[in-house]
Amino acid sequence: MLTKAQLRELYQAPSERSQKKLLNELEEHGKLFISRSPLVVISTHSETGRCDCSPRGGEPGFVRILSDSQIAIPDFRGNNRLDSLENIVETGEIGCVFLVPGISETLRINGSASVHVDPEIMGQFEDADSVRTYILVDIKEVYIHCGKALLRSEIWDASTHVNPLDFPSFGTIFNAHLGKTVLPESHEEIA
């Protein structure tokens, strides 16, 4: 396993530009990015170091900007495992990557987090009846992340998209994981 010093020997020093892009609150472009984003991937960890990375999605702007230093991420009905939420309760830390379809750059936010049920905030979310709680993020770091990974992946290029009918359905995969049939397997039945 490499040490930090050995790792630094393999990479150039970060540019001044990449070091200065780190802000401690949202500005107009970060706010625009969040308002246009239908997808954020959140990363959390437990006290024992168990990590979780989970997508959250909704209509563009489903994440509410409460101030320059605070956002609220709704937690819609899901599988009820609560991995991310329990990690937040344990450690109070979160990382977020916001994506906007067609835009290669991403917006990254790191900060402290807590789980809430304040009705005033919850009422601001689309489909508020499906929101059980929300994650309140106090921003510590925010920055635009270059688009090299998304450009290399060609994720926004429709010619690279997999036809869903050429890929196993969620039901097929889920049933294989469990070793028994509990969900319908066709894409049509899942939809």
Side-chain angles (χ1 to χ4, degrees):
M1 182 166 61
L2 295 177
T3 65
K4 286 183 180 181
Q6 291 169 323
L7 193 59
R8 269 290 148 215
E9 289 176 14
L10 297 172
Y11 292 87
Q12 295 177 352
S15 68
E16 181 181 355
R17 181 181 68 191
S18 68
Q19 291 179 354
K20 288 188 172 183
K21 70 179 180 179
L22 184 66
L23 304 173
N24 60 9
E25 63 181 21
L26 292 169
E27 41 70 67
E28 65 176 310
H29 299 101
K31 290 176 183 178
L32 175 64
F33 212 103
I34 292 170
S35 74
R36 300 293 299 272
S37 176
L39 179 66
V40 60
V41 179
I42 64 172
S43 177
T44 62
H45 67 91
S46 70
E47 289 175 340
T48 60
R50 182 181 56 82
C51 295
D52 185 65
C53 190
S54 178
R56 298 292 199 267
E59 292 292 320
F62 76 101
V63 172
R64 293 294 184 250
I65 300 166
L66 303 179
S67 71
D68 291 349
S69 60
Q70 207 171 55
I71 60 173
I73 304 170
D75 193 69
F76 296 107
R77 291 181 185 152
N79 62 19
N80 296 321
R81 284 182 50 103
L82 306 182
D83 298 319
S84 298
L85 298 180
E86 288 179 354
N87 284 349
I88 290 168
V89 169
E90 285 185 23
T91 65
E93 295 179 348
I94 194 168
C96 306
V97 175
F98 288 87
L99 292 103
V100 175
I103 303 298
S104 297
E105 292 73 30
T106 58
L107 182 74
R108 291 179 56 175
I109 291 179
N110 297 315
S112 58
S114 50
V115 182
H116 296 269
V117 293
D118 179 347
E120 185 176 324
I121 301 296
M122 290 180 69
Q124 295 180 27
F125 298 121
E126 296 285 327
D127 198 15
D129 292 339
S130 294
V131 178
R132 291 290 173 249
T133 61
Y134 65 92
I135 301 166
L136 183 66
V137 179
D138 291 304
I139 297 169
K140 293 181 182 175
E141 299 175 333
V142 59
Y143 58 96
I144 195 81
H145 193 96
C146 77
K148 290 178 185 171
L150 295 184
L151 289 170
R152 280 191 292 266
S153 74
E154 298 180 332
I155 194 163
W156 305 132
D157 181 351
S159 71
T160 68
H161 293 182
V162 174
N163 181 339
L165 299 177
D166 293 337
F167 202 80
S169 71
F170 174 73
T172 300
I173 296 169
F174 192 78
N175 293 339
H177 285 193
L178 293 178
K180 59 183 176 179
T181 300
V182 295
L183 287 178
E185 295 195 4
S186 77
H187 289 284
E188 294 78 19
E189 288 175 300
I190 295 288

